[in-house]
């Protein structure tokens, strides 16, 4: 015999497989797409505001969104897994220290603002598959590579010599720039 909790959890998994619900918390600014039926027509109306409360009770989960409309505070409670909700989009994350933000009801203007939580993203989530080494992956070894003797790394003086031979036009340009700078510093000098 299944208990009510098991039935609720099964229904939640079924709903989550059909539609995607983002992970959001109180203090976040969310945009909720609500299905509205007017006669035979059905449309989606968006309700954007601050999530001030969230209740996690399996199938009975709900959240409350508050917005200011024409100077008046409007709150609406939505069922998280209800058929009324089409989409939920998190606009920005708020940095708060409590679960229920009912104190926002008494505040207006700048005191009702919530600081934005900045999330650090270290990298991109990439599925890395280990590459197997086989004959197709290996670079072909040429006869020149085999016949070359293995040498040590070049010294710093050798590196400087090769760099100076490759960058002569740049060197000439820098010398000309130095001469111009000297002339600007000493305008009294004559040629």
């Amino acid at each position: 015999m299944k208990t009510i909790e098991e039935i609720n959890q099964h229904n939640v998994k079924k709903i989550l497989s059909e539609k995607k619900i983002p992970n959001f918390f109180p203090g976040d600014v969310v945009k909720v797409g609500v299905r509205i039926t007017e006669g035979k027509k059905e449309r989606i109306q968006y309700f954007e505001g601050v999530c001030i409360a969230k209740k996690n009770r399996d199938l009975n989960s709900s959240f409350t969104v508050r917005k200011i409309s024409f100077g008046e505070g409007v709150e609406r409670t939505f069922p998280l897994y209800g058929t009324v909700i089409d989409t939920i989009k998190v606009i920005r994350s708020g940095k708060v220290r409590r679960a229920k933000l009912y104190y926002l009801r008494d505040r207006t203007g700048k005191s009702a603002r919530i600081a934005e939580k900045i999330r650090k993203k270290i990298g991109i989530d990439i599925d890395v598959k280990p590459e197997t080494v086989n004959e197709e992956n290996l670079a072909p070894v040429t006869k020149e590579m085999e016949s070359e003797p293995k040498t040590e790394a070049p010294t710093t003086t050798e590196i400087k010599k090769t760099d100076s031979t490759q960058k002569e036009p740049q060197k000439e340009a820098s010398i000309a720039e130095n001469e111009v700078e000297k002339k600007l510093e000493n305008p009294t000098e004559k040629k």
Side-chain angles (χ1 to χ4, degrees), residues 58-149:
D58 286 335
L59 197 61
N60 300 322
S61 298
S62 65
F63 61 100
T64 304
V65 179
R66 178 180 174 82
K67 75 173 183 176
I68 306 296
S69 181
F70 299 103
E72 196 69 31
V74 180
E75 288 184 11
R76 211 165 156 192
T77 304
F78 300 102
L80 189 61
Y81 302 111
T83 56
V84 175
I85 292 180
D86 184 53
T87 58
I88 301 172
K89 186 177 179 185
V90 179
I91 305 298
R92 63 185 277 234
S93 299
K95 186 178 181 183
V96 294
R97 291 164 40 177
R98 55 185 71 197
K100 306 287 190 255
L101 306 177
Y102 298 136
Y103 68 89
L104 291 177
R105 292 173 176 165
D106 302 330
R107 297 190 179 186
T108 57
K110 287 187 176 181
S111 64
R113 288 185 300 181
I114 295 174
E116 186 172 0
K117 183 193 295 181
I118 298 166
R119 293 188 174 141
K120 293 181 182 177
K121 288 193 174 182
I122 295 170
I124 302 169
D125 297 336
I126 300 174
D127 294 334
V128 179
K129 295 179 182 176
E131 192 172 316
T132 56
V133 179
N134 52 10
E135 292 178 16
E136 297 170 358
N137 297 10
L138 292 175
V141 179
T142 60
K143 291 180 182 178
E144 295 172 1
M145 294 174 104
E146 292 175 356
S147 63
E148 286 182 10

Side-chain angles (χ1 to χ4, degrees), residues 2-191:
K2 289 188 176 180
T3 62
I4 294 172
E5 290 94 21
E6 290 174 352
I7 294 168
N8 286 346
Q9 288 173 358
H10 176 72
N11 288 337
V12 167
K13 287 178 184 175
K14 184 179 174 185
I15 292 167
L16 285 175
S17 66
E18 293 171 6
K19 67 178 180 179
K20 187 183 176 215
I21 296 173
N23 195 15
F24 64 96
F25 303 97
D28 295 354
V29 176
V30 292
K31 189 174 187 178
V32 184
V34 186
R35 285 194 187 102
I36 293 178
T37 307
E38 296 170 335
K40 294 179 182 178
K41 294 181 182 178
E42 186 176 284
R43 65 183 178 90
I44 296 171
Q45 185 178 31
Y46 290 99
F47 190 88
E48 184 176 341
V50 179
C51 176
I52 62 168
K54 191 172 178 186
K55 182 177 86 169
N56 294 316
R57 306 279 187 279
D58 286 335
L59 197 61
N60 300 322
S61 298
S62 65
F63 61 100
T64 304
V65 179
R66 178 180 174 82
K67 75 173 183 176
I68 306 296
S69 181
F70 299 103
E72 196 69 31
V74 180
E75 288 184 11
R76 211 165 156 192
T77 304
F78 300 102
L80 189 61
Y81 302 111
T83 56
V84 175
I85 292 180
D86 184 53
T87 58
I88 301 172
K89 186 177 179 185
V90 179
I91 305 298
R92 63 185 277 234
S93 299
K95 186 178 181 183
V96 294
R97 291 164 40 177
R98 55 185 71 197
K100 306 287 190 255
L101 306 177
Y102 298 136
Y103 68 89
L104 291 177
R105 292 173 176 165
D106 302 330
R107 297 190 179 186
T108 57
K110 287 187 176 181
S111 64
R113 288 185 300 181
I114 295 174
E116 186 172 0
K117 183 193 295 181
I118 298 166
R119 293 188 174 141
K120 293 181 182 177
K121 288 193 174 182
I122 295 170
I124 302 169
D125 297 336
I126 300 174
D127 294 334
V128 179
K129 295 179 182 176
E131 192 172 316
T132 56
V133 179
N134 52 10
E135 292 178 16
E136 297 170 358
N137 297 10
L138 292 175
V141 179
T142 60
K143 291 180 182 178
E144 295 172 1
M145 294 174 104
E146 292 175 356
S147 63
E148 286 182 10
K150 294 183 180 179
T151 59
E152 295 179 16
T155 60
T156 55
T157 54
E158 292 173 358
I159 292 171
K160 288 180 183 176
K161 287 178 186 176
T162 56
D163 287 347
S164 63
T165 56
Q166 293 172 356
K167 299 179 181 178
E168 286 191 22
Q170 292 177 351
K171 192 173 184 181
E172 292 173 3
S174 63
I175 291 170
E177 289 174 358
N178 289 337
E179 290 176 6
V180 170
E181 288 176 5
K182 287 179 184 176
K183 288 179 183 177
L184 291 174
E185 290 174 2
N186 301 324
T188 56
E189 261 186 48
K190 293 183 181 178
K191 291 182 181 178

